[in-house]
Amino acid sequence: MKRTSPPMKTVLAPIDFSEISRRVVDEAIVLARAIGARLVLLHVVQLPSLLGTGVIETDLPEGFHLQVEQEAVARLASLQKQLRDEGVTAHVIHQVGPPREKILEQAERLDADYLVMGSHGHGALYELVVGSTTTGILKNAGCPVTIVPAAKKTRKPARTPCSAPPHALAV
Amino acid sequence: MKTILAPIDFSEVSRRVLVEAVELARAGNARLVILHVVQPPMVTDSDIGTTMSAEYSAMASAAAAKRLKRLEKQVRALGCTVQTSSEVGFPGARILQLAEKLGADTIVLGSHGHGAFYDLVVGSTTTRILKAAQCPVMVVPAAMNPGRKAKSKRAWEPVGAWDA
């Protein structure tokens, strides 16, 4: 195959519809626009672990997995529409399985040039430093990974001798 | 104008960091600030040790400043707004301080480097930045996947500045 122009770049943003996801999407949009890349939003549906819950697979209501998956598809479609209304074209894909593996798999399949994701989310266990899925991605990704912080932390006020936190002043 | 902060330590991954940071700055028409932090060697509590450490830091900092200037010239020639800074201190703290001072919009750094101890997962300085940074942090891996490499073939690469 002969290529006349450089192939289009891809920004892949895994999102889990947590609080941080909108910030991740916004950051991915800015990056994709700047470099003229296509934007792909990936949602990985992680099925709940039944381990230790006393619930067994067959106890789940019929079509449970399918329902969870359909819900994910609907949320992605709604986000895609919302973005379209904002003038942003985004491709959406969903996968079912463990987030880390699925994200890396899709990054490779799409030949992603950048990953943009949240510092947390994408997993049940909240780590102190960086989420476990994010750490796993950082370790294995073959492209730059932009990590979006959870929230704009309020800047520490300048330390003055008589400064006290507001709540300390309330009597 | 947006600001991109790229801390480098002249390791191999720093080369990738620069390439990515320059590409990002050019694409987003942003100002690029390249930072190198010299970490003073640990010394025991003796006057001689302290003096030697200070001398070493001053020398290393001056040498780094020279290399940074060479880089600055190359990057400016690409039409990029660029500044460089050489500082002495603990890399993690210095990087965060400068990011805050500049109001950096993005920090681009390597997954490793920037510290004496090699973490298995992500370097200790990088981990620290990820934990505390107020802005998005782009982490550049040491090894790129082959498909991506092929696509960015025509990207700029630093020349010469890696030789001390």
Side-chain angles (χ1 to χ4, degrees):
Chain A
M1 198 169 73
K2 215 174 150 186
R3 278 183 178 143
T4 45
S5 61
M8 192 166 205
K9 293 192 172 182
T10 300
V11 173
L12 176 63
I15 52 168
D16 63 356
F17 295 103
S18 62
E19 255 176 64
I20 201 175
S21 291
R22 183 64 223 210
R23 286 171 57 85
V24 170
V25 170
D26 287 342
E27 190 62 31
I29 290 170
V30 170
L31 180 61
R33 275 204 177 134
I35 59 170
R38 69 172 169 156
L39 173 63
V40 182
L41 305 177
L42 165 66
H43 178 56
V44 180
V45 181
Q46 190 175 18
L47 294 172
S49 165
L50 300 178
L51 202 70
T53 59
V55 180
I56 54 166
E57 190 81 19
T58 47
D59 284 346
L60 292 172
E62 208 179 316
F64 176 79
H65 288 180
L66 190 67
Q67 204 182 322
V68 171
E69 198 175 339
Q70 277 169 352
E71 202 180 296
V73 173
R75 292 178 92 175
L76 274 172
S78 140
L79 176 60
Q80 187 179 36
K81 188 186 170 299
Q82 188 192 330
L83 291 174
R84 194 184 304 133
D85 292 343
E86 294 169 23
V88 177
T89 306
H91 304 266
V92 294
I93 43 177
H94 80 279
Q95 291 278 304
V96 180
R100 187 179 65 114
E101 283 80 354
K102 290 294 171 187
I103 292 167
L104 289 168
E105 198 180 285
Q106 292 302 309
E108 197 174 327
R109 187 181 72 85
L110 297 165
D111 199 8
D113 295 276
Y114 297 94
L115 279 168
V116 180
M117 60 192 298
S119 59
H120 292 94
H122 297 291
L125 296 162
Y126 188 97
E127 256 166 83
L128 271 177
V129 182
V130 179
S132 57
T133 299
T134 303
T135 306
I137 302 290
L138 283 177
K139 193 177 170 183
N140 294 296
C143 67
V145 183
T146 299
I147 306 294
V148 180
K152 279 243 151 56
K153 292 151 205 159
T154 44
R155 299 198 171 188
K156 277 186 210 149
R159 225 179 285 162
T160 52
C162 55
S163 76
H167 63 266
L169 297 173
V171 186
Chain B
M1 191 178 226
K2 290 199 169 183
T3 300
I4 294 168
L5 176 63
I8 61 165
D9 62 359
F10 295 100
S11 63
E12 266 315 297
V13 71
S14 286
R15 212 181 250 280
R16 302 288 333 151
V17 167
L18 262 182
V19 170
E20 295 296 339
V22 165
E23 190 171 345
L24 205 60
R26 290 174 84 186
N29 198 20
R31 162 176 71 143
L32 176 62
V33 180
I34 305 170
L35 167 68
H36 176 72
V37 182
V38 173
Q39 185 163 10
M42 292 296 189
V43 291
T44 50
D45 189 14
S46 76
D47 287 345
I48 279 189
T50 312
T51 311
M52 276 168 61
S53 174
E55 274 174 15
Y56 162 82
S57 300
M59 272 164 61
S61 184
K66 250 189 206 164
R67 296 163 86 180
L68 285 171
K69 283 295 158 208
R70 261 182 269 168
L71 271 177
E72 190 178 314
K73 232 170 125 182
Q74 286 180 45
V75 176
R76 187 165 293 130
L78 300 166
C80 221
T81 307
V82 60
Q83 279 166 244
T84 54
S85 172
S86 173
E87 301 197 13
V88 177
F90 290 103
R94 286 307 205 174
I95 293 165
L96 287 166
Q97 265 170 22
L98 189 61
E100 176 141 350
K101 196 172 127 197
L102 295 167
D105 295 279
T106 307
I107 301 172
V108 182
L109 39 74
S111 59
H112 292 94
H114 299 292
F117 296 110
Y118 188 97
D119 265 49
L120 271 178
V121 182
V122 180
S124 57
T125 299
T126 301
T127 304
R128 167 130 200 239
I129 306 289
L130 283 177
K131 192 175 167 183
Q134 311 275 331
C135 64
V137 179
M138 182 180 281
V139 181
V140 180
M144 291 286 174
N145 71 44
R148 188 178 192 280
K149 234 190 247 165
K151 268 193 260 182
S152 37
K153 213 188 285 173
R154 285 185 306 170
W156 165 84
E157 291 265 0
V159 186
W162 253 244
D163 317 318

